[in-house]
Amino acid sequence: MKDNQAFNEMMVHTPLCTHKEAQNVLIIGSSSEALKKEASKHTGNIEFGDVSILTSKDEKNIDVVILTDINIDEMLLANIQRVLNDDGLICLSTDSFSKDEDKLKTDLELVGQNFWIAMPFKFGHETAILASKKYHPTADIILQRSDLLDDLEYYSTEIHHASFVFPAAQHKALTGIAKR
């Protein structure tokens, strides 16, 4: 299995199996055919585009925003907050903890200012952040959805839970930054 497949599955299924009823989803950034294939396993309206797609959206009508290969900043986060529903969540890829510890901490701090919960998760050689206004990624996973997904190579309910577990030293370094 390629790392790309793990990336595609985790970036799509982790947030979409956490949100109770994601009807409107935006995937911003790289949109490979494999990523689109994974997104098609879920119901609802799923749109792909670049950052400019945010400006065409009405306020408070998006349930989930998935960001791939996009550096977040305060302006991008403000635009996401404008369109995200009150129970919305975002999932964004970030640099691996071992490559750039400061980048993950910076991204967590920035995202954590605007969300009830912000938690990093690891899969393969990648690190991402799931941030939510309402849902906890391990306590609120929708098992009826995550257990019934077909044709997967990496993602499973067990991987979903395990991806949020970090080694003790990294967990300690993130305590107080990552909200739990």
Side-chain angles (χ1 to χ4, degrees):
M1 180 189 54
K2 298 177 183 172
D3 275 346
N4 286 349
Q5 188 58 28
F7 179 86
N8 295 329
E9 291 182 16
M10 292 297 288
M11 290 300 293
V12 169
H13 302 309
T14 304
L16 294 182
C17 289
T18 299
H19 193 284
K20 184 178 180 182
E21 294 182 80
Q23 294 302 310
N24 294 307
V25 178
L26 290 180
I27 299 179
I28 300 172
S30 65
S31 58
S32 67
E33 288 306 312
L35 190 69
K36 290 178 181 179
K37 176 185 171 196
E38 295 309 317
S40 72
K41 295 176 182 178
H42 295 270
T43 59
N45 178 33
I46 300 175
E47 294 183 64
F48 296 85
D50 60 20
V51 178
S52 66
I53 197 171
L54 289 170
T55 59
S56 68
K57 297 297 170 193
D58 295 328
E59 292 186 21
K60 305 291 183 198
N61 69 342
I62 303 299
D63 299 304
V64 175
V65 176
I66 299 170
L67 301 160
T68 61
D69 305 321
I70 301 282
N71 284 322
I72 62 163
D73 58 27
E74 289 180 12
M75 181 64 82
L76 176 60
L77 207 51
N79 276 319
I80 290 171
Q81 287 286 62
R82 181 183 61 77
V83 302
L84 206 58
N85 282 332
D86 292 336
D87 67 344
L89 61 83
I90 67 171
C91 182
L92 62 119
S93 58
T94 189
D95 291 331
S96 173
F97 193 90
S98 61
K99 291 180 190 172
D100 189 354
E101 181 176 329
D102 291 334
K103 173 75 170 132
L104 177 59
K105 285 183 179 181
T106 300
D107 287 350
L108 274 171
E109 287 171 350
L110 180 61
V111 170
Q113 292 172 9
N114 296 286
F115 290 88
W116 171 70
I117 191 163
M119 292 176 60
F121 63 104
K122 274 183 115 42
F123 50 93
H125 298 291
E126 302 286 337
T127 303
I129 297 171
L130 190 140
S132 175
K133 294 181 177 186
K134 181 177 180 178
Y135 304 106
H136 189 286
T138 58
D140 293 322
I141 184 172
I142 309 299
L143 296 175
Q144 295 87 345
R145 198 174 303 141
S146 65
D147 281 343
L148 298 176
L149 289 168
D150 289 325
D151 192 29
L152 299 175
E153 293 181 31
Y154 189 85
Y155 180 87
S156 68
T157 301
E158 292 77 15
I159 289 287
H160 180 117
H161 283 284
S163 68
F164 288 94
V165 177
F166 281 72
Q170 290 175 343
H171 178 80
K172 184 177 179 181
L174 294 173
T175 299
I177 297 170
K179 297 178 180 182
R180 293 181 190 248

